[in-house]
Amino acid sequence: WDFDHSFGREGDGEPMNDKLCDLTQHILFKRLIEINPNNYLQKLNARFLSLKKQDILTVKNIFELIDDNVKKLRPEIEANESRWPLNEVSYFKKSSFEMEVNRMKEWIENHLPKVEQHLNVLQKR
């Protein structure tokens, strides 16, 4: 369940609650934002809106995808946790598989509208 720098966790595993990942920290995205080749930012925003309209990038659909994966992963959780115990890292000591799934869902519900707003602002540059 590796989701570094996404869905509610920073790259070091610490909780990420109130912000989006800073794309300018990634060299390729930074350049794409700076120079906007071939109207990249406008196309990115249009693609996001198209996927939203198709009910692909929606909270409901993403939750369904997560739930489908949870069903597939659940039988393997005990083996995974015995190999990589959660209590090895301080901020995971009070966590569980279910709590992490809920963290992802909460992050998606709170941040998907922020992603849309961010892309809309970027494409107007």
Side-chain angles (χ1 to χ4, degrees), residues 22-75:
D22 182 4
L23 293 179
T24 63
Q25 298 298 311
H26 186 281
I27 295 169
L28 174 60
F29 286 120
K30 181 178 180 180
R31 292 283 292 152
L32 287 169
I33 291 168
E34 287 174 353
I35 64 176
N36 194 24
N38 199 24
N39 294 313
Y40 169 78
L41 297 171
Q42 292 75 16
K43 290 177 180 178
L44 179 63
N45 188 55
R47 181 65 175 151
F48 180 92
L49 294 175
S50 172
L51 292 172
K52 179 182 172 185
K53 186 176 181 179
Q54 295 174 58
D55 197 33
I56 295 170
L57 275 180
T58 62
V59 170
K60 178 183 175 283
N61 187 59
I62 295 171
F63 279 18
E64 288 173 2
L65 294 170
I66 291 171
D67 291 340
D68 287 346
N69 279 301
V70 165
K71 286 178 191 172
K72 293 174 187 170
L73 292 172
R74 188 165 306 283

Side-chain angles (χ1 to χ4, degrees), residues 3 5-10 13-17 103-104 107:
F3 55 101
H5 260 316
S6 59
F7 302 115
R9 290 275 181 205
E10 295 279 3
E14 288 283 346
M16 174 178 42
N17 297 316
R103 175 182 294 281
M104 285 192 301
W107 192 92

